[in-house]
Amino acid sequence: MTLGETETRPAEQVAPPRRSAGVRPARGSNKPNGQWKVDGRAPLNANEEWKQQDGGLAVRERIEQTYAAGGFASIDPTDLHGRFRWWGLYTQRKPGIDGGKTATLEPHELEDEYFMLRVRIDGGQLTTEQLRTIGGISTEFARDTADLTDRQNVQLHWVRVEDVPEIWRRLEAVGLSTTEACGDVPRVILGSPVAGIAADELIDPTPQIEEIQRRYLGDPEFANLPRKFKSAITGHPSQDVVHEINDVAFVAVEHPELGVGYDLWVGGGLSTAAHLAVRTGTFVTPDRVAEVWEGVVSIFRDYGYRRLRNRARLKYLVADWGAERFREVLETEYLATPLPDGPAAPKPIAQGDHVGVHRQRDGRFYLGATPLVGRLSGSTLTAIAELLESVGSGRLRTTPHQKLVLLDIEERDVERVVAGLDGLGLQVRPSLIRRGTIACTGIEYCKLAIVETKETASRAVVRLEERLAGLELPHPISLHVNGCPNSCARIQTADIGLKGQLLPDGDGGQTPGFQVHLGGGLASAHREEAGTGRTVRGLKVTADGLADYVERVVRRFLAERDEAAAETFAEWAHRADEEALR
């Protein structure tokens, strides 16, 4: 029987010896990996020690009762650099510290006495009341900052610890939170931005997202994982939640006998070592999604590698075990009954960013709008809420592509809303370059960054729109700009991915620049399956020369592509000579 067949496998066919699940990978070392079910729970590093001494969730009371009153100087260092993350708080970078010092200074030397605060938005679902609340918090407490992330969250900056309790009160009054927005916990659950609305949707995953959130968010049982854990669920055939780079993902598929449910993927993640998720070959009915999600995160908790932080993501365990063993352990140790085999989802036939004007299943319209590299402001968020309410709508969505999707627009109001968004700096009909560009936080606020990203990417987009005006691109070309090697902007899966680093300036100094990755991408209407980009030895561009480079390589693609075969940029980039890519 193959993994593509539809019958449920008998339990006796899949049950391995219990000890097999925890066999350590051969790494040339007999040291324990810190797997709880294999090595016991004795902490093997400082992070594991403090997590066991006092969990991250416990710090909220100290923030409210002690630190908000005493100010930044009163914060315990372990709380500041560890447990605060469990509540969506990171110290931000002190202004004026150049990228060359990122790797040489200690955290306390890099950080300012202000915080980035991440608002958790599971499934990207927002009401205008919630958006207005975030906008008001931004203008009052965060110097009018607001960035959309590629995890469907909103990040605020310049937040003082003294203001955090009031911010929480306002967020929670409208059903939002920062609970487990960061830290070694299950992070926000990515969901289709058109859940419950798109005419071509296979299934609305909202009930499954809400069940996971209701049952497990803030649960101490899952508040001490080896590292962060990322989830994604979509019911849309565009596969719009970047499922291949999540720890666990559920992708809607129609089973020939069991109806519509989900294809289960595990073990994806990028950072400095990209691993694409693998299919387990199982079919998950909607009523079992929460159970299966709990099983996967429990495997990570119990068998994940805790000794070394740089090998503590689920992707390393999946790489060592393989999909078949992972499925065996899931079914025999963590699920009540085995899962049936299931088919893979077909290739997407539509773009998954939902940009543009689209008809909903009820006859109204949704509008996908592109803010430049995800950068907004609290004032803009408030204005968007007012614009939506002026045409009778009360809801919108964030996306995994730093976009916004506005819902429930009557046909007569579409162009009015399009014009209103354009006046706010969000384009519903953007250029394909603007549409495909995302950028991480960068050196402006991030302590890990080496170069600036948001402004660099914004300038490049504007210049490219001028220089490439009149040229017809066959599809959006994704340009992902990252300030360090950690790939928050998914550089390995972009047509043009840029990893920030300092380059020689020719005069004995250094200048901000990027290493270039070319031809990556996730499954889409233009690509059969996910794949990472290629690097060309010595191919690096300065920040100031970014627009020049992208213009040059795009023009070469247009001149050399096989039009008859509808060749994409990624396909061309993988076959082109190195000189054509420079």
Side-chain angles (χ1 to χ4, degrees), residues 262-296:
Y262 298 94
D263 187 26
L264 176 64
W265 295 64
V266 295
L270 295 180
S271 190
T272 55
H275 289 229
L276 297 176
V278 297
R279 292 185 61 239
T280 61
T282 57
F283 179 78
V284 184
T285 55
D287 63 312
R288 296 194 70 185
V289 167
E291 175 199 2
V292 173
W293 182 93
E294 180 185 6
V296 174

Side-chain angles (χ1 to χ4, degrees), residues 348-397:
I349 58 173
Q351 194 74 14
D353 62 5
H354 303 295
V355 170
V357 179
H358 308 271
R359 189 178 292 274
Q360 297 179 180
R361 63 175 54 174
D362 63 4
R364 293 181 290 180
F365 288 81
Y366 65 89
L367 310 182
T370 303
L372 190 53
V373 298
R375 173 134 291 176
L376 292 168
S377 68
S379 303
T380 301
L381 296 182
T382 301
I384 293 169
E386 292 171 349
L387 175 62
L388 269 174
E389 290 173 350
S390 74
V391 296
S393 173
R395 57 184 185 151
L396 70 158
R397 307 276 169 81

